[in-house]
Amino acid sequence: MVYLTLAAAIASEIVATTLMKYSDGLSRLWPSVGTVAGYLVAFALLAQVLRSMEVGAAYAIWSGVGTAVVALVGMFFLDESASAAKVLGVALVIAGVVTLNLGGAH
């Protein structure tokens, strides 16, 4: 259950970050409202995860997966560059999260 809650926190953070791109510097109302709401939900869910998971592992997974997915969203949906270095960076982030989980993150 803790990993489902963490996944929901990550998804909320990804949506919030993506909406921030559309908020035009938080000057457009609805994307800005979505950004704030998404981050509130993300942090509330992360706080619940921390009741039963180590903070280092939870935050590493949350930030690592979020970073990798937001980079992919940017490349595939927001017309951002997809250089070899950026793709390698995303792969390394994913490898780090997998390695952390194999090392006993709970």
Side-chain angles (χ1 to χ4, degrees):
M1 187 65 168
V2 70
Y3 282 102
L4 288 176
T5 305
L6 183 56
I10 293 165
S12 183
E13 185 261 338
I14 291 165
V15 169
T17 302
T18 304
L19 285 172
M20 190 184 306
K21 173 72 173 173
Y22 292 106
S23 76
D24 196 28
L26 298 178
S27 66
R28 295 181 59 220
L29 178 62
W30 294 115
S32 299
V33 168
T35 297
V36 171
Y39 281 121
L40 286 173
V41 169
F43 281 108
L45 291 171
L46 182 60
Q48 293 304 308
V49 168
L50 295 179
R51 296 172 86 186
S52 59
M53 184 182 271
E54 294 176 0
V55 68
Y59 189 73
I61 295 166
W62 182 69
S63 61
V65 172
T67 299
V69 173
V70 168
L72 293 172
V73 166
M75 286 186 273
F76 286 105
F77 301 107
L78 301 176
D79 205 30
E80 295 178 359
S81 67
S83 67
K86 189 180 279 189
V87 172
L88 176 61
V90 169
L92 289 171
V93 168
I94 292 168
V97 170
V98 169
T99 301
L100 180 65
N101 278 299
L102 293 174
H106 26 292

